[in-house]
Amino acid sequence: MPPAVVLDRSRISDPALHAIADRVMAGERLTPAEGVALFRTSDLLGLGTIADAANRAKHGDRVTFAANQHINPTNVCILRATCVFCSYARLPKEDGAYRYTMDQVWAEAEQAAGAMTREFHIVGGLDMKAGLAYYTEMFRGLKARHPQVHIKALTAVEIAHIARIEKMSVRDVLVALREAGLDTMPGGGAEVFSPGVRATIADRKLAGSEWIDVHRVAHGLGIRTNCTMLYGHVETVEDRIHHLGMLRDLQNETGGFLAYIPLAYHPDNNELGAELGRQGTATTGVDDLKNLAVGRLFLDNFDHVKSHWIMVTPALSQLSLHFGVNDLEGTVVREKIYHEAGAHTAQAMSLDELLRIIRGAGKIPAERDSFYNVIRTFDDDPTRAAA
Ligand code: V47
Ligand code: SF4
């Protein structure tokens, strides 16, 4: 149990944040208006102070990471023309379109042999030729070859797509996938739930309420999931809080979410970036930190807030450890989705580098499994605050 947390009020300069700090420290739930105030404040350090206190009350100085490997088996996607923020998808006959054969999946997964990988993170496009059999064969084959590796796979959008092309219920698809080896689901496809924003950036994608329904069914089956929000494009702060409110409500109902991961929009090589005149300009550091900190404070019923260093850079992820974040996206082997959209970060990070980042923030690194159980803690370095 972490020690009682003290919040240093002298670090909060925005008067509006004082009342919010009191409510957070009393364990009270923030209202949507308070959530909006958190996004609007220019007192970034005040916001960070409150989020850091809320995070330390749950996790002390421990920061976790998981050793995972991303596998993106197909970039063929029927929504290629309407998800205007996506740089990854291709039409079946378009240049650069691919769909892995099972042998290609096994070959890519082979990197896990001898490495510390404990999780495969598998997501791709809505491909008419990647139905239930494609994924059940994949998961069975992966479990046979790497029985120790957890399979976190398929967003709610992909699950609904499989259900549609197989003419099955979401529940039956999930049951079949679980039998084949699916352990948990990632949080992608959520984007922004507000219908207006969705109509602009992802017109034909599963509606926000349908995304929530798929996760509700998964939670009901005991399948834990993550959730995300794609920020930094056309959404307002009210849209963000509406989105977080829907996540908070489902978590209240099921308790099935493991972690929240805000995803910073990357504008390169996609229609939306061109339309907004934003190519080459990522989200700002202040907005990245605000999204993480507000996630920590508004989602009071979530244990884990994860920063995705591939999207916001390792340097910002390190700073975020003082803005409410308790978990870093792990040692990712070969990431495609954000690199196609202009991310200039590396595609993988070594264990030593992760430890250096976490220790350099004055925190204690710990490797976790996919359910957030700590496997080993790296608390043997007395110089951790000095890096
Ligand atoms: O749903 C697509 C996003 C998501 C872009 O659950 C983009 O542990 C930024 O959800 N700029 C998929 N983002 C990835 C995802 C995820 C990532 C890491 C960890 C977890 C987890 C989940 O990627 C999509 C979409 O929101 N995305 N294109 C882009 N141009
Ligand atoms: Fe397809 Fe997902 Fe890209 Fe949309 S975001 S086009 S569903 S791969």
Side-chain angles (χ1 to χ4, degrees):
M1 205 47 179
V5 168
V6 177
L7 186 150
D8 181 356
R9 295 176 149 280
S10 67
R11 294 190 186 172
I12 303 175
S13 58
D14 178 353
L17 295 191
H18 278 281
I20 294 180
D22 287 340
R23 290 190 8 93
V24 168
M25 295 312 278
E28 290 167 15
R29 176 157 289 185
L30 299 184
T31 64
E34 287 168 326
V36 167
L38 291 176
F39 270 123
R40 288 208 197 286
T41 188
S42 47
D43 181 8
L44 182 67
L45 294 183
L47 170 62
T49 300
I50 309 171
D52 184 51
N55 180 45
R56 278 186 292 119
K58 287 190 171 164
H59 302 288
D61 278 331
R62 180 192 282 163
V63 171
T64 50
F65 62 88
N68 67 11
Q69 176 179 345
H70 284 220
I71 301 177
N72 304 123
T74 173
N75 67 351
V76 173
C77 187
I78 55 170
L79 296 189
R80 189 240 185 281
T82 54
C83 285
V84 291
F85 61 86
C86 178
S87 317
Y88 166 73
R90 299 285 183 277
L91 292 171
K93 297 222 159 40
E94 203 175 334
D95 261 7
Y98 73 87
R99 178 186 313 108
Y100 285 170
T101 61
M102 288 304 138
D103 284 339
Q104 286 172 307
V105 174
W106 314 149
E108 187 149 331
E110 226 15 71
Q111 298 174 48
M116 57 186 280
T117 307
R118 288 177 195 275
E119 176 183 281
F120 291 128
H121 177 158
I122 305 172
V123 288
L126 310 187
D127 183 343
M128 294 305 285
K129 296 209 168 132
L132 187 60
Y134 180 77
Y135 287 107
T136 52
E137 187 184 350
M138 185 186 301
F139 298 168
R140 287 210 169 86
L142 288 172
K143 284 286 185 188
R145 289 166 176 78
H146 309 278
Q148 78 290 359
V149 181
H150 176 109
I151 296 184
K152 179 175 78 183
L154 301 178
T155 66
V157 177
E158 291 169 277
I159 300 284
H161 168 74
I162 296 170
R164 198 171 53 246
I165 63 179
E166 302 290 354
K167 300 190 174 46
M168 290 168 69
S169 69
V170 161
R171 188 175 193 285
D172 290 348
V173 168
L174 284 169
V175 168
L177 291 169
R178 185 173 57 181
E179 264 170 37
L182 176 88
D183 294 300
T184 55
M185 277 167 57
E191 322 316 354
V192 175
F193 293 146
S194 300
V197 175
R198 228 171 167 77
T200 308
I201 68 162
D203 191 22
R204 286 181 40 226
K205 193 169 251 183
L206 203 65
S209 57
E210 294 170 321
W211 186 98
I212 290 281
D213 287 344
V214 174
H215 283 257
R216 181 183 287 110
V217 174
H219 296 173
L221 291 167
I223 300 172
R224 308 290 303 272
T225 69
N226 286 340
C227 57
T228 59
M229 176 172 75
L230 180 70
Y231 67 90
H233 40 89
V234 299
E235 85 289 357
T236 62
V237 294
E238 286 80 7
D239 292 321
R240 293 177 182 179
I241 290 297
H242 168 261
H243 184 97
L244 294 178
M246 285 174 69
L247 297 175
R248 191 169 76 176
D249 287 350
L250 184 64
Q251 181 73 331
N252 242 19
E253 195 183 315
T254 65
F257 284 127
L258 284 163
Y260 168 64
I261 311 129
L263 300 174
Y265 169 57
H266 280 255
D268 286 1
N269 308 320
N270 55 66
E271 210 183 311
L272 183 62
E275 184 74 19
L276 298 174
R278 282 269 309 278
Q279 302 220 319
T281 59
T283 50
T284 66
V286 167
D287 206 26
D288 294 332
L289 290 175
K290 278 188 172 179
N291 272 281
L292 290 157
V294 176
R296 166 60 70 199
L297 292 171
F298 200 73
L299 299 175
D300 61 332
N301 50 3
F302 278 62
D303 285 337
H304 307 291
V305 175
K306 174 156 80 175
S307 169
H308 197 338
W309 61 261
I310 289 185
M311 308 190 85
V312 295
T313 76
L316 192 124
S317 275
Q318 184 189 40
L319 290 179
S320 76
L321 302 181
H322 292 280
F323 284 77
V325 168
N326 73 299
D327 189 54
L328 290 183
E329 177 70 2
T331 47
V332 182
V333 180
R334 235 151 85 77
E335 196 287 324
K336 293 197 184 78
I337 296 178
Y338 318 109
H339 286 91
E340 304 259 338
H344 298 296
T345 46
Q347 288 202 358
M349 193 187 281
S350 69
L351 175 64
D352 282 351
E353 184 61 4
L354 266 172
L355 297 182
R356 196 170 75 85
I357 283 176
I358 297 170
R359 285 178 169 144
K363 302 279 181 172
I364 302 168
E367 185 184 354
R368 63 164 174 85
D369 69 13
S370 303
F371 293 108
Y372 285 83
N373 300 308
V374 169
I375 295 161
R376 52 178 169 156
T377 301
F378 298 82
D379 57 359
D380 51 350
D381 183 355
T383 63
R384 67 188 165 90

